[in-house]
Amino acid sequence: MKSNKKADLLTKKDIFIIALMCCTAVLITATAIHNKQNFLQILPLYVSLIIGMLQSRVSRFASMLGSVNSLLYGAVYIHFNLYGSALSAIFFSCPIQALTFIRWNKHKSGHSTVLRRMTTRQRLLLLPVFAVVLAAMWFVLPLLGSEYVFLDSVTTLLGIVIYFFTMFAFVEYTALMLVNGAIGIALYLQVLGSNPEIATHLIFSVYSFICVIFAFFEAKRLYKTQQQAEKELKK
């Protein structure tokens, strides 16, 4: 029985993610050496590899580690002139992820938390607010010197929404992460032409996108399991 329990600790999905994480780390290191990058520029990426694995399991510990790592990312984004992303990392991602871990820990369910769905009213209220803030960012970011206003603003704002969705454990946060991940890859591809050093972040963004795909299905599974358990308790 002991051996079976140990075997259950690592699923095929976990083994795949760990292998993918190792391959991504090698690619990031090789690309960084080729581009003669400063180690500090890519340090947050190595931490994010672990965070991505935790996110694929919808683990509450991803937010705890992500909070600290956001400060490192802020410095890197400033280096690449992605000012919207830098502001988001330092002033939103760091504190919100810390609060997310605290809230998820209070309502923990296994290694995760109790998930819930947004109401129709909440979704309808979100759309106009998102549009107004996005328009404001299109005005402000050029003043700050951002060279990639459209993609930078969209991915920054989506990231902020995702942080709040995650903090309140709305199961929809993983779907938004898929959208934001795809936009993030497009942003890095656009930056790549003028700044080859961004290649390491592009490599990581592909890894992260794969982790989010797993998170999307894991969140759906967890939510369904939790709802079924709740129904059983009410009987």
Side-chain angles (χ1 to χ4, degrees):
M1 291 300 292
K2 289 184 179 180
S3 60
N4 289 335
K5 287 182 179 179
K6 289 181 179 179
D8 290 339
L9 293 177
L10 284 179
T11 64
K12 290 182 179 180
K13 183 194 78 172
D14 293 330
I15 295 172
F16 173 79
I17 292 294
I18 291 173
L20 182 64
M21 180 175 65
C22 294
C23 291
T24 304
V26 171
L27 284 173
I28 289 174
T29 303
T31 304
I33 293 173
H34 175 75
N35 291 327
K36 299 178 181 179
Q37 285 181 261
N38 188 314
F39 175 73
L40 291 178
Q41 291 181 12
I42 61 172
L43 176 60
L45 292 179
Y46 292 118
V47 181
S48 290
L49 290 175
I50 301 172
I51 295 172
M53 180 179 65
L54 293 172
Q55 286 178 333
S56 72
R57 303 184 65 195
V58 193
S59 171
R60 62 182 182 276
F61 299 105
S63 296
M64 179 182 68
L65 187 56
S67 178
V68 177
N69 204 35
S70 293
L71 298 176
L72 294 176
Y73 266 118
V76 173
Y77 286 139
I78 291 173
H79 174 77
F80 289 121
N81 293 324
L82 298 174
Y83 296 109
S85 297
L87 289 171
S88 173
I90 297 170
F91 295 106
F92 288 94
S93 178
C94 178
I96 287 177
Q97 288 195 82
L99 290 172
T100 297
F101 173 71
I102 293 171
R103 191 181 184 283
W104 278 38
N105 211 41
K106 287 183 178 179
H107 305 279
K108 59 185 177 182
S109 175
H111 61 268
S112 186
T113 190
V114 177
L115 300 171
R116 54 180 179 159
R117 285 194 181 278
M118 291 187 72
T119 64
T120 302
R121 181 182 180 184
Q122 288 171 330
R123 293 176 183 177
L124 291 175
L125 287 173
L126 176 66
L127 291 175
V129 173
F130 186 91
V132 170
V133 176
L134 184 61
M137 291 184 70
W138 285 346
F139 174 77
V140 172
L141 288 184
L143 300 178
L144 295 175
S146 179
E147 300 176 18
Y148 312 96
V149 175
F150 179 76
L151 290 179
D152 192 11
S153 59
V154 173
T155 191
T156 298
L157 186 53
L158 268 178
I160 293 171
V161 173
I162 289 168
Y163 293 138
F164 281 106
F165 274 34
T166 307
M167 182 171 65
F168 293 107
F170 288 124
V171 71
E172 292 89 350
Y173 86 89
T174 54
L176 288 181
M177 285 180 74
L178 281 174
V179 176
N180 202 37
I183 295 174
I185 291 173
L187 175 60
Y188 287 133
L189 284 171
Q190 187 176 8
V191 177
L192 187 63
S194 59
N195 197 334
E197 291 183 357
I198 205 73
T200 50
H201 290 262
L202 175 60
I203 292 169
F204 169 77
S205 67
V206 175
Y207 162 81
S208 178
F209 187 74
I210 295 172
C211 289
V212 171
I213 292 174
F214 281 107
F216 175 77
F217 290 105
E218 179 65 10
K220 288 182 66 175
R221 185 193 68 79
L222 283 173
Y223 178 77
K224 184 178 180 180
T225 301
Q226 291 169 2
Q227 290 299 300
Q228 289 175 342
E230 188 176 333
K231 288 179 181 179
E232 290 295 325
L233 290 174
K234 290 180 180 178
K235 287 182 179 180

Short mmCIF file of all heavy atoms in Angstrom, two decimals, residues 56-119:
data_model
loop_
_atom_site.label_atom_id
_atom_site.label_comp_id
_atom_site.label_asym_id
_atom_site.label_seq_id
_atom_site.Cartn_x
_atom_site.Cartn_y
_atom_site.Cartn_z
N SER A 56 -0.49 24.70 -12.77
CA SER A 56 -1.11 23.62 -13.52
C SER A 56 -1.94 22.70 -12.62
O SER A 56 -2.86 22.03 -13.08
CB SER A 56 -0.05 22.80 -14.26
OG SER A 56 0.71 21.99 -13.35
N ARG A 57 -1.63 22.73 -11.33
CA ARG A 57 -2.36 21.93 -10.34
C ARG A 57 -3.39 22.77 -9.58
O ARG A 57 -4.03 22.27 -8.67
CB ARG A 57 -1.38 21.31 -9.34
CG ARG A 57 -0.29 20.45 -9.97
CD ARG A 57 0.56 19.80 -8.90
NE ARG A 57 -0.19 18.86 -8.10
CZ ARG A 57 0.21 18.36 -6.94
NH1 ARG A 57 1.36 18.74 -6.44
NH2 ARG A 57 -0.55 17.51 -6.28
N VAL A 58 -3.52 24.05 -9.96
CA VAL A 58 -4.39 25.00 -9.26
C VAL A 58 -4.04 25.00 -7.77
O VAL A 58 -4.90 24.93 -6.90
CB VAL A 58 -5.89 24.66 -9.48
CG1 VAL A 58 -6.79 25.81 -9.03
CG2 VAL A 58 -6.18 24.36 -10.94
N SER A 59 -2.75 25.08 -7.49
CA SER A 59 -2.25 25.05 -6.12
C SER A 59 -2.23 26.45 -5.52
O SER A 59 -1.84 27.42 -6.18
CB SER A 59 -0.83 24.47 -6.08
OG SER A 59 -0.25 24.62 -4.80
N ARG A 60 -2.65 26.57 -4.29
CA ARG A 60 -2.65 27.87 -3.61
C ARG A 60 -1.23 28.39 -3.36
O ARG A 60 -1.03 29.59 -3.15
CB ARG A 60 -3.43 27.80 -2.29
CG ARG A 60 -2.88 26.86 -1.25
CD ARG A 60 -3.78 26.85 -0.02
NE ARG A 60 -3.28 25.98 1.04
CZ ARG A 60 -3.49 24.68 1.10
NH1 ARG A 60 -4.21 24.08 0.16
NH2 ARG A 60 -3.01 23.95 2.10
N PHE A 61 -0.24 27.51 -3.38
CA PHE A 61 1.13 27.93 -3.13
C PHE A 61 1.75 28.67 -4.31
O PHE A 61 2.80 29.31 -4.18
CB PHE A 61 1.99 26.72 -2.75
CG PHE A 61 1.51 26.05 -1.49
CD1 PHE A 61 0.82 24.84 -1.56
CD2 PHE A 61 1.71 26.64 -0.25
CE1 PHE A 61 0.36 24.22 -0.40
CE2 PHE A 61 1.26 26.02 0.91
CZ PHE A 61 0.58 24.82 0.83
N ALA A 62 1.11 28.60 -5.48
CA ALA A 62 1.60 29.35 -6.65
C ALA A 62 1.55 30.85 -6.38
O ALA A 62 2.47 31.59 -6.76
CB ALA A 62 0.76 29.00 -7.87
N SER A 63 0.50 31.31 -5.72
CA SER A 63 0.36 32.73 -5.43
C SER A 63 1.39 33.21 -4.40
O SER A 63 1.89 34.33 -4.49
CB SER A 63 -1.05 33.03 -4.91
OG SER A 63 -2.01 32.76 -5.90
N MET A 64 1.68 32.37 -3.44
CA MET A 64 2.66 32.73 -2.42
C MET A 64 4.03 32.99 -3.05
O MET A 64 4.68 34.03 -2.79
CB MET A 64 2.78 31.62 -1.37
CG MET A 64 3.79 31.90 -0.27
SD MET A 64 3.94 30.52 0.91
CE MET A 64 4.71 29.27 -0.13
N LEU A 65 4.47 32.08 -3.90
CA LEU A 65 5.76 32.23 -4.57
C LEU A 65 5.70 33.34 -5.62
O LEU A 65 6.67 34.08 -5.81
CB LEU A 65 6.16 30.90 -5.22
CG LEU A 65 7.55 30.79 -5.82
CD1 LEU A 65 8.63 31.12 -4.78
CD2 LEU A 65 7.77 29.40 -6.40
N GLY A 66 4.55 33.46 -6.29
CA GLY A 66 4.40 34.47 -7.32
C GLY A 66 4.47 35.89 -6.78
O GLY A 66 4.92 36.80 -7.47
N SER A 67 4.02 36.09 -5.57
CA SER A 67 4.05 37.42 -4.96
C SER A 67 5.48 37.96 -4.87
O SER A 67 5.75 39.10 -5.24
CB SER A 67 3.42 37.36 -3.56
OG SER A 67 3.48 38.63 -2.94
N VAL A 68 6.38 37.13 -4.40
CA VAL A 68 7.78 37.54 -4.28
C VAL A 68 8.41 37.72 -5.66
O VAL A 68 9.14 38.68 -5.91
CB VAL A 68 8.57 36.48 -3.47
CG1 VAL A 68 10.04 36.86 -3.39
CG2 VAL A 68 7.99 36.33 -2.07
N ASN A 69 8.09 36.82 -6.56
CA ASN A 69 8.69 36.85 -7.89
C ASN A 69 8.25 38.06 -8.71
O ASN A 69 8.95 38.49 -9.63
CB ASN A 69 8.34 35.56 -8.63
CG ASN A 69 9.34 35.24 -9.72
OD1 ASN A 69 10.53 35.50 -9.60
ND2 ASN A 69 8.86 34.67 -10.81
N SER A 70 7.10 38.63 -8.39
CA SER A 70 6.59 39.79 -9.13
C SER A 70 7.53 40.98 -9.05
O SER A 70 7.64 41.77 -9.99
CB SER A 70 5.22 40.19 -8.60
OG SER A 70 4.26 39.21 -8.88
N LEU A 71 8.20 41.13 -7.93
CA LEU A 71 9.14 42.23 -7.76
C LEU A 71 10.33 42.08 -8.71
O LEU A 71 10.82 43.07 -9.28
CB LEU A 71 9.63 42.30 -6.31
CG LEU A 71 8.53 42.55 -5.26
CD1 LEU A 71 9.14 42.51 -3.86
CD2 LEU A 71 7.85 43.89 -5.51
N LEU A 72 10.77 40.86 -8.90
CA LEU A 72 11.86 40.61 -9.84
C LEU A 72 11.42 40.91 -11.27
O LEU A 72 12.16 41.51 -12.06
CB LEU A 72 12.33 39.16 -9.72
CG LEU A 72 12.99 38.75 -8.40
CD1 LEU A 72 13.30 37.26 -8.40
CD2 LEU A 72 14.25 39.55 -8.15
N TYR A 73 10.19 40.50 -11.58
CA TYR A 73 9.66 40.75 -12.92
C TYR A 73 9.53 42.24 -13.22
O TYR A 73 9.76 42.69 -14.34
CB TYR A 73 8.30 40.07 -13.10
CG TYR A 73 8.38 38.70 -13.71
CD1 TYR A 73 7.95 37.58 -13.01
CD2 TYR A 73 8.89 38.52 -14.99
CE1 TYR A 73 8.03 36.32 -13.57
CE2 TYR A 73 8.99 37.25 -15.55
CZ TYR A 73 8.55 36.15 -14.84
OH TYR A 73 8.63 34.91 -15.40
N GLY A 74 9.14 43.00 -12.22
CA GLY A 74 8.98 44.44 -12.41
C GLY A 74 10.26 45.08 -12.91
O GLY A 74 10.24 45.90 -13.84
N ALA A 75 11.37 44.69 -12.33
CA ALA A 75 12.66 45.25 -12.74
C ALA A 75 13.01 44.85 -14.18
O ALA A 75 13.52 45.65 -14.96
CB ALA A 75 13.74 44.76 -11.78
N VAL A 76 12.69 43.61 -14.54
CA VAL A 76 12.98 43.13 -15.90
C VAL A 76 12.12 43.85 -16.93
O VAL A 76 12.60 44.24 -18.00
CB VAL A 76 12.75 41.60 -15.99
CG1 VAL A 76 12.88 41.13 -17.44
CG2 VAL A 76 13.75 40.87 -15.11
N TYR A 77 10.83 44.05 -16.64
CA TYR A 77 9.94 44.73 -17.58
C TYR A 77 10.39 46.16 -17.85
O TYR A 77 10.27 46.66 -18.97
CB TYR A 77 8.51 44.72 -17.04
CG TYR A 77 7.81 43.38 -17.13
CD1 TYR A 77 7.01 42.93 -16.09
CD2 TYR A 77 7.95 42.59 -18.26
CE1 TYR A 77 6.37 41.71 -16.17
CE2 TYR A 77 7.32 41.36 -18.34
CZ TYR A 77 6.53 40.92 -17.30
OH TYR A 77 5.90 39.71 -17.39
N ILE A 78 10.89 46.84 -16.83
CA ILE A 78 11.40 48.20 -17.01
C ILE A 78 12.57 48.19 -18.00
O ILE A 78 12.70 49.06 -18.86
CB ILE A 78 11.82 48.80 -15.66
CG1 ILE A 78 10.58 49.07 -14.79
CG2 ILE A 78 12.59 50.10 -15.87
CD1 ILE A 78 10.90 49.51 -13.38
N HIS A 79 13.40 47.16 -17.90
CA HIS A 79 14.55 47.03 -18.80
C HIS A 79 14.11 46.91 -20.25
O HIS A 79 14.75 47.43 -21.16
CB HIS A 79 15.37 45.79 -18.40
CG HIS A 79 16.49 45.48 -19.36
ND1 HIS A 79 17.67 46.18 -19.37
CD2 HIS A 79 16.59 44.54 -20.34
CE1 HIS A 79 18.46 45.69 -20.32
NE2 HIS A 79 17.83 44.69 -20.92
N PHE A 80 12.96 46.24 -20.50
CA PHE A 80 12.46 46.04 -21.86
C PHE A 80 11.46 47.13 -22.29
O PHE A 80 10.79 46.98 -23.30
CB PHE A 80 11.79 44.67 -21.98
CG PHE A 80 12.77 43.52 -21.94
CD1 PHE A 80 12.66 42.54 -20.96
CD2 PHE A 80 13.79 43.42 -22.86
CE1 PHE A 80 13.55 41.48 -20.93
CE2 PHE A 80 14.68 42.37 -22.83
CZ PHE A 80 14.57 41.39 -21.87
N ASN A 81 11.35 48.19 -21.51
CA ASN A 81 10.43 49.31 -21.82
C ASN A 81 8.96 48.90 -21.84
O ASN A 81 8.14 49.53 -22.51
CB ASN A 81 10.79 49.97 -23.17
CG ASN A 81 12.14 50.66 -23.13
OD1 ASN A 81 12.51 51.24 -22.11
ND2 ASN A 81 12.87 50.59 -24.22
N LEU A 82 8.61 47.85 -21.11
CA LEU A 82 7.21 47.43 -20.98
C LEU A 82 6.68 48.01 -19.67
O LEU A 82 6.49 47.32 -18.68
CB LEU A 82 7.12 45.89 -20.99
CG LEU A 82 7.60 45.22 -22.27
CD1 LEU A 82 7.61 43.71 -22.10
CD2 LEU A 82 6.73 45.62 -23.46
N TYR A 83 6.42 49.31 -19.69
CA TYR A 83 6.11 50.03 -18.46
C TYR A 83 4.76 49.63 -17.87
O TYR A 83 4.60 49.61 -16.65
CB TYR A 83 6.16 51.54 -18.72
CG TYR A 83 7.53 52.03 -19.11
CD1 TYR A 83 7.80 52.44 -20.41
CD2 TYR A 83 8.57 52.03 -18.19
CE1 TYR A 83 9.06 52.86 -20.79
CE2 TYR A 83 9.84 52.45 -18.55
CZ TYR A 83 10.08 52.87 -19.86
OH TYR A 83 11.34 53.28 -20.23
N GLY A 84 3.80 49.34 -18.74
CA GLY A 84 2.51 48.89 -18.23
C GLY A 84 2.64 47.59 -17.46
O GLY A 84 2.09 47.42 -16.37
N SER A 85 3.41 46.66 -18.02
CA SER A 85 3.63 45.38 -17.36
C SER A 85 4.43 45.55 -16.07
O SER A 85 4.19 44.85 -15.08
CB SER A 85 4.38 44.42 -18.31
OG SER A 85 3.61 44.14 -19.45
N ALA A 86 5.36 46.49 -16.07
CA ALA A 86 6.17 46.74 -14.87
C ALA A 86 5.32 47.27 -13.73
O ALA A 86 5.42 46.80 -12.59
CB ALA A 86 7.29 47.73 -15.19
N LEU A 87 4.46 48.25 -14.03
CA LEU A 87 3.58 48.80 -13.01
C LEU A 87 2.64 47.73 -12.46
O LEU A 87 2.38 47.65 -11.26
CB LEU A 87 2.76 49.95 -13.60
CG LEU A 87 3.54 51.24 -13.90
CD1 LEU A 87 2.66 52.22 -14.67
CD2 LEU A 87 4.05 51.89 -12.63
N SER A 88 2.15 46.89 -13.36
CA SER A 88 1.25 45.80 -12.95
C SER A 88 1.96 44.83 -12.01
O SER A 88 1.40 44.40 -11.00
CB SER A 88 0.74 45.06 -14.19
OG SER A 88 -0.01 43.92 -13.82
N ALA A 89 3.20 44.47 -12.36
CA ALA A 89 3.94 43.49 -11.56
C ALA A 89 4.22 43.98 -10.15
O ALA A 89 4.03 43.27 -9.17
CB ALA A 89 5.26 43.15 -12.26
N ILE A 90 4.65 45.25 -10.04
CA ILE A 90 5.07 45.79 -8.74
C ILE A 90 3.90 46.20 -7.85
O ILE A 90 3.86 45.88 -6.66
CB ILE A 90 6.02 46.98 -8.95
CG1 ILE A 90 7.30 46.52 -9.67
CG2 ILE A 90 6.37 47.64 -7.61
CD1 ILE A 90 8.20 47.64 -10.13
N PHE A 91 2.94 46.91 -8.45
CA PHE A 91 1.88 47.52 -7.64
C PHE A 91 0.57 46.73 -7.61
O PHE A 91 -0.32 47.05 -6.81
CB PHE A 91 1.61 48.95 -8.11
CG PHE A 91 2.78 49.86 -7.92
CD1 PHE A 91 3.54 50.27 -9.00
CD2 PHE A 91 3.14 50.28 -6.65
CE1 PHE A 91 4.64 51.11 -8.82
CE2 PHE A 91 4.23 51.12 -6.46
CZ PHE A 91 4.98 51.53 -7.54
N PHE A 92 0.45 45.70 -8.47
CA PHE A 92 -0.76 44.90 -8.46
C PHE A 92 -0.46 43.42 -8.19
O PHE A 92 -1.00 42.83 -7.26
CB PHE A 92 -1.52 45.04 -9.79
CG PHE A 92 -2.18 46.37 -9.97
CD1 PHE A 92 -1.54 47.39 -10.65
CD2 PHE A 92 -3.44 46.63 -9.44
CE1 PHE A 92 -2.13 48.63 -10.80
CE2 PHE A 92 -4.04 47.86 -9.59
CZ PHE A 92 -3.38 48.87 -10.28
N SER A 93 0.42 42.87 -9.01
CA SER A 93 0.67 41.43 -8.90
C SER A 93 1.22 41.03 -7.53
O SER A 93 0.74 40.07 -6.93
CB SER A 93 1.65 40.99 -9.99
OG SER A 93 1.94 39.62 -9.88
N CYS A 94 2.21 41.76 -7.04
CA CYS A 94 2.84 41.40 -5.77
C CYS A 94 1.86 41.40 -4.60
O CYS A 94 1.68 40.36 -3.94
CB CYS A 94 4.02 42.33 -5.49
SG CYS A 94 4.84 41.99 -3.92
N PRO A 95 1.17 42.52 -4.30
CA PRO A 95 0.25 42.51 -3.16
C PRO A 95 -0.98 41.63 -3.37
O PRO A 95 -1.44 40.99 -2.43
CB PRO A 95 -0.15 43.98 -3.02
CG PRO A 95 0.12 44.59 -4.34
CD PRO A 95 1.29 43.86 -4.90
N ILE A 96 -1.50 41.59 -4.60
CA ILE A 96 -2.71 40.80 -4.84
C ILE A 96 -2.44 39.32 -4.70
O ILE A 96 -3.26 38.56 -4.17
CB ILE A 96 -3.30 41.14 -6.23
CG1 ILE A 96 -3.93 42.52 -6.20
CG2 ILE A 96 -4.32 40.09 -6.65
CD1 ILE A 96 -4.47 42.98 -7.53
N GLN A 97 -1.28 38.87 -5.17
CA GLN A 97 -0.97 37.45 -5.03
C GLN A 97 -0.76 37.07 -3.56
O GLN A 97 -1.08 35.96 -3.15
CB GLN A 97 0.26 37.10 -5.87
CG GLN A 97 -0.02 37.08 -7.35
CD GLN A 97 1.08 36.38 -8.14
OE1 GLN A 97 1.11 35.16 -8.25
NE2 GLN A 97 1.98 37.17 -8.69
N ALA A 98 -0.21 38.00 -2.79
CA ALA A 98 -0.06 37.75 -1.36
C ALA A 98 -1.43 37.60 -0.70
O ALA A 98 -1.66 36.69 0.10
CB ALA A 98 0.73 38.88 -0.69
N LEU A 99 -2.36 38.50 -1.06
CA LEU A 99 -3.72 38.42 -0.53
C LEU A 99 -4.44 37.16 -1.03
O LEU A 99 -5.23 36.56 -0.30
CB LEU A 99 -4.52 39.66 -0.95
CG LEU A 99 -4.10 40.98 -0.28
CD1 LEU A 99 -4.85 42.15 -0.93
CD2 LEU A 99 -4.40 40.94 1.22
N THR A 100 -4.14 36.78 -2.27
CA THR A 100 -4.74 35.57 -2.84
C THR A 100 -4.36 34.34 -2.03
O THR A 100 -5.21 33.50 -1.71
CB THR A 100 -4.30 35.38 -4.30
OG1 THR A 100 -4.77 36.48 -5.08
CG2 THR A 100 -4.86 34.09 -4.88
N PHE A 101 -3.07 34.23 -1.70
CA PHE A 101 -2.63 33.07 -0.92
C PHE A 101 -3.31 33.04 0.45
O PHE A 101 -3.75 31.98 0.91
CB PHE A 101 -1.11 33.10 -0.73
CG PHE A 101 -0.62 32.03 0.20
CD1 PHE A 101 -0.63 30.70 -0.18
CD2 PHE A 101 -0.16 32.35 1.48
CE1 PHE A 101 -0.19 29.70 0.70
CE2 PHE A 101 0.28 31.37 2.35
CZ PHE A 101 0.26 30.04 1.95
N ILE A 102 -3.43 34.22 1.08
CA ILE A 102 -4.08 34.30 2.39
C ILE A 102 -5.53 33.86 2.29
O ILE A 102 -6.03 33.08 3.11
CB ILE A 102 -3.99 35.74 2.96
CG1 ILE A 102 -2.53 36.09 3.27
CG2 ILE A 102 -4.84 35.89 4.21
CD1 ILE A 102 -2.30 37.54 3.62
N ARG A 103 -6.24 34.35 1.25
CA ARG A 103 -7.66 34.02 1.09
C ARG A 103 -7.85 32.56 0.72
O ARG A 103 -8.72 31.88 1.25
CB ARG A 103 -8.29 34.91 0.03
CG ARG A 103 -9.81 34.80 0.00
CD ARG A 103 -10.44 35.65 -1.08
NE ARG A 103 -11.88 35.57 -1.00
CZ ARG A 103 -12.59 34.55 -1.44
NH1 ARG A 103 -11.99 33.51 -1.99
NH2 ARG A 103 -13.91 34.53 -1.33
N TRP A 104 -7.03 32.06 -0.21
CA TRP A 104 -7.14 30.65 -0.61
C TRP A 104 -6.83 29.73 0.57
O TRP A 104 -7.43 28.67 0.70
CB TRP A 104 -6.18 30.36 -1.77
CG TRP A 104 -6.71 30.76 -3.12
CD1 TRP A 104 -7.45 31.87 -3.42
CD2 TRP A 104 -6.51 30.06 -4.35
NE1 TRP A 104 -7.71 31.91 -4.76
CE2 TRP A 104 -7.16 30.81 -5.35
CE3 TRP A 104 -5.84 28.90 -4.71
CZ2 TRP A 104 -7.17 30.41 -6.69
CZ3 TRP A 104 -5.84 28.50 -6.05
CH2 TRP A 104 -6.50 29.25 -7.02
N ASN A 105 -5.90 30.15 1.40
CA ASN A 105 -5.52 29.33 2.55
C ASN A 105 -6.64 29.26 3.58
O ASN A 105 -6.80 28.25 4.27
CB ASN A 105 -4.25 29.89 3.19
CG ASN A 105 -3.39 28.81 3.81
OD1 ASN A 105 -3.23 27.73 3.26
ND2 ASN A 105 -2.86 29.09 4.98
N LYS A 106 -7.42 30.35 3.68
CA LYS A 106 -8.56 30.36 4.61
C LYS A 106 -9.70 29.46 4.13
O LYS A 106 -10.49 28.97 4.93
CB LYS A 106 -9.08 31.79 4.79
CG LYS A 106 -8.18 32.68 5.64
CD LYS A 106 -8.79 34.05 5.82
CE LYS A 106 -7.92 34.94 6.72
NZ LYS A 106 -8.51 36.30 6.88
N HIS A 107 -9.79 29.29 2.82
CA HIS A 107 -10.86 28.47 2.23
C HIS A 107 -10.25 27.29 1.46
O HIS A 107 -10.70 26.94 0.38
CB HIS A 107 -11.71 29.31 1.28
CG HIS A 107 -12.28 30.55 1.90
ND1 HIS A 107 -13.41 30.53 2.68
CD2 HIS A 107 -11.84 31.84 1.89
CE1 HIS A 107 -13.67 31.77 3.10
NE2 HIS A 107 -12.73 32.57 2.64
N LYS A 108 -9.22 26.70 2.05
CA LYS A 108 -8.48 25.66 1.34
C LYS A 108 -9.30 24.39 1.14
O LYS A 108 -10.17 24.04 1.94
CB LYS A 108 -7.18 25.34 2.07
CG LYS A 108 -7.32 24.87 3.50
CD LYS A 108 -5.93 24.73 4.12
CE LYS A 108 -6.02 24.34 5.58
NZ LYS A 108 -4.68 24.24 6.20
N SER A 109 -8.99 23.74 0.03
CA SER A 109 -9.59 22.46 -0.31
C SER A 109 -8.48 21.60 -0.90
O SER A 109 -8.10 21.77 -2.06
CB SER A 109 -10.72 22.65 -1.33
OG SER A 109 -11.23 21.40 -1.75
N GLY A 110 -7.92 20.71 -0.09
CA GLY A 110 -6.75 19.95 -0.53
C GLY A 110 -5.57 20.89 -0.73
O GLY A 110 -5.30 21.75 0.09
N HIS A 111 -4.91 20.77 -1.88
CA HIS A 111 -3.79 21.67 -2.19
C HIS A 111 -4.28 22.96 -2.84
O HIS A 111 -3.49 23.86 -3.11
CB HIS A 111 -2.81 20.97 -3.13
CG HIS A 111 -3.41 20.59 -4.45
ND1 HIS A 111 -3.98 19.36 -4.68
CD2 HIS A 111 -3.58 21.29 -5.60
CE1 HIS A 111 -4.44 19.31 -5.91
NE2 HIS A 111 -4.21 20.47 -6.49
N SER A 112 -5.59 23.05 -3.09
CA SER A 112 -6.16 24.19 -3.78
C SER A 112 -7.06 25.00 -2.85
O SER A 112 -6.74 25.22 -1.69
CB SER A 112 -6.95 23.72 -5.01
OG SER A 112 -7.40 24.80 -5.79
N THR A 113 -8.21 25.48 -3.37
CA THR A 113 -9.18 26.25 -2.60
C THR A 113 -10.57 25.94 -3.10
O THR A 113 -10.74 25.24 -4.10
CB THR A 113 -8.89 27.77 -2.73
OG1 THR A 113 -9.68 28.47 -1.78
CG2 THR A 113 -9.21 28.27 -4.12
N VAL A 114 -11.58 26.47 -2.44
CA VAL A 114 -12.96 26.29 -2.88
C VAL A 114 -13.23 27.26 -4.02
O VAL A 114 -13.11 28.48 -3.85
CB VAL A 114 -13.95 26.55 -1.73
CG1 VAL A 114 -15.39 26.43 -2.22
CG2 VAL A 114 -13.70 25.57 -0.59
N LEU A 115 -13.54 26.74 -5.19
CA LEU A 115 -13.77 27.56 -6.38
C LEU A 115 -15.25 27.91 -6.53
O LEU A 115 -16.12 27.21 -6.01
CB LEU A 115 -13.29 26.82 -7.63
CG LEU A 115 -11.81 26.44 -7.65
CD1 LEU A 115 -11.51 25.52 -8.83
CD2 LEU A 115 -10.93 27.68 -7.71
N ARG A 116 -15.53 29.00 -7.26
CA ARG A 116 -16.91 29.40 -7.52
C ARG A 116 -17.01 30.04 -8.90
O ARG A 116 -15.99 30.38 -9.50
CB ARG A 116 -17.40 30.37 -6.45
CG ARG A 116 -16.51 31.60 -6.27
CD ARG A 116 -17.06 32.50 -5.20
NE ARG A 116 -16.22 33.66 -4.99
CZ ARG A 116 -16.63 34.78 -4.42
NH1 ARG A 116 -17.89 34.89 -4.02
NH2 ARG A 116 -15.82 35.80 -4.25
N ARG A 117 -18.24 30.22 -9.39
CA ARG A 117 -18.46 30.83 -10.70
C ARG A 117 -18.97 32.25 -10.56
O ARG A 117 -19.64 32.58 -9.58
CB ARG A 117 -19.46 30.01 -11.52
CG ARG A 117 -18.90 28.72 -12.08
CD ARG A 117 -19.81 28.16 -13.15
NE ARG A 117 -19.29 26.91 -13.68
CZ ARG A 117 -18.36 26.82 -14.62
NH1 ARG A 117 -17.85 27.94 -15.14
NH2 ARG A 117 -17.94 25.65 -15.05
N MET A 118 -18.69 33.08 -11.55
CA MET A 118 -19.22 34.44 -11.58
C MET A 118 -20.70 34.41 -11.94
O MET A 118 -21.15 33.53 -12.69
CB MET A 118 -18.49 35.28 -12.62
CG MET A 118 -17.05 35.60 -12.30
SD MET A 118 -16.37 36.76 -13.51
CE MET A 118 -17.21 38.27 -13.03
N THR A 119 -21.44 35.39 -11.46
CA THR A 119 -22.84 35.53 -11.83
C THR A 119 -22.91 36.30 -13.16
O THR A 119 -21.95 36.97 -13.57
CB THR A 119 -23.63 36.30 -10.76
OG1 THR A 119 -23.11 37.64 -10.67
CG2 THR A 119 -23.50 35.61 -9.40
#
